[in-house]
Amino acid sequence: EAQVTQNPRYLITVTGKKLTVTCSQNMNHEYMSWYRQDPGLGLRQIYYSMNVEVTDKGDVPEGYKVSRKEKRNFPLILESPSPNQTSLYFCASQVLYRVDQPQHFGDGTRLSIL
Amino acid sequence: RKEVEQDPGPFNVPEGATVAFNCTYSNSASQSFFWYRQDCRKEPKLLMSVYSSGNEDGRFTAQLNRASQYISLLIRDSKLSDSATYLCVVTPPWRSGGYQKVTFGIGTKLQVIP
């Protein structure tokens, strides 16, 4: 089954404790992206990647890191989480250069930073 | 002007009603358009693509007006199960090696009432 898998689904942690949210897709998509969603603000892009070793900042990259060492994986790293990073996070992937193809989303990760 | 604008609603409509949402976009070069449905705190799921000629899928009709730079979603004979948030998505043309920004609207909340 074609899917985007995020882990963990839920995480409660404390300020300053490094964490990683993993994202993996099995569709051989070149493009992957991380979003956060907050009430009243909609989906905001954190980072995106056009292919292996090609990443760039989205609209709200501060406090986040990503890497793309393999095509299928795109982890989101919070080196020193803070309470303002409490949010619902989505990973998505997409075929490049096909305007008719939509983004596919993971199930989401709910992060609470205390 | 925001890149993509939607009325956040909520739209409260009775079962059986017809309801329409619009979404305006600012980049006239935008290439592809989609409507996604998002249930409360879950991942966005593709509802339908939007084509220049307009397209229909059962009770749902999507249209694109390039001259006025908006897309629309019409839902006929609303069901209780249609209650959700509807996100419009706008994508610029893919450019080889170029920056690719997929923009989501904030979403329009629909509540269908018995």
Side-chain angles (χ1 to χ4, degrees), chain A residues 10-98:
Chain A
Y10 305 91
L11 178 62
I12 302 173
T13 188
V14 295
T15 298
K17 186 177 181 181
K18 180 179 178 180
L19 67 92
T20 299
V21 185
T22 63
C23 175
S24 180
Q25 50 95 4
N26 63 0
M27 294 168 279
N28 202 36
H29 287 168
E30 298 89 354
Y31 183 91
M32 297 185 75
S33 183
W34 275 103
Y35 298 90
R36 61 178 288 174
Q37 188 174 36
D38 302 288
L41 296 176
L43 279 164
R44 294 181 293 167
Q45 189 175 49
I46 303 170
Y47 269 94
Y48 68 96
S49 171
M50 301 285 279
N51 216 323
V52 174
E53 303 292 2
V54 181
T55 63
D56 209 343
K57 297 176 181 178
D59 296 320
V60 288
E62 293 75 24
Y64 304 95
K65 285 174 56 178
V66 293
S67 69
R68 189 90 182 271
K69 293 184 169 55
E70 305 165 289
K71 197 172 187 179
R72 63 183 292 125
N73 296 323
F74 191 44
L76 179 69
I77 302 155
L78 285 71
E79 293 272 4
S80 183
S82 62
N84 65 10
Q85 293 177 298
T86 293
S87 188
L88 177 59
Y89 291 84
F90 290 106
C91 179
S93 72
Q94 183 175 9
V95 174
L96 267 185
Y97 312 129
R98 289 283 307 274

Side-chain angles (χ1 to χ4, degrees), chain B residues 13-64:
Chain B
V13 303
E15 266 188 293
T18 295
V19 61
F21 311 132
N22 281 349
C23 171
T24 59
Y25 60 94
S26 60
N27 184 354
S28 59
S30 296
Q31 185 82 14
S32 56
F33 308 87
F34 305 93
W35 283 103
Y36 280 72
R37 172 194 169 123
Q38 185 176 25
D39 294 292
C40 187
R41 309 303 260 172
K42 295 198 172 179
E43 78 277 18
K45 292 185 178 178
L46 179 68
L47 179 65
M48 58 198 303
S49 303
V50 187
Y51 303 122
S52 296
S53 54
N55 46 302
E56 190 173 307
D57 182 3
R59 297 180 295 108
F60 299 84
T61 301
Q63 292 195 311
L64 167 63

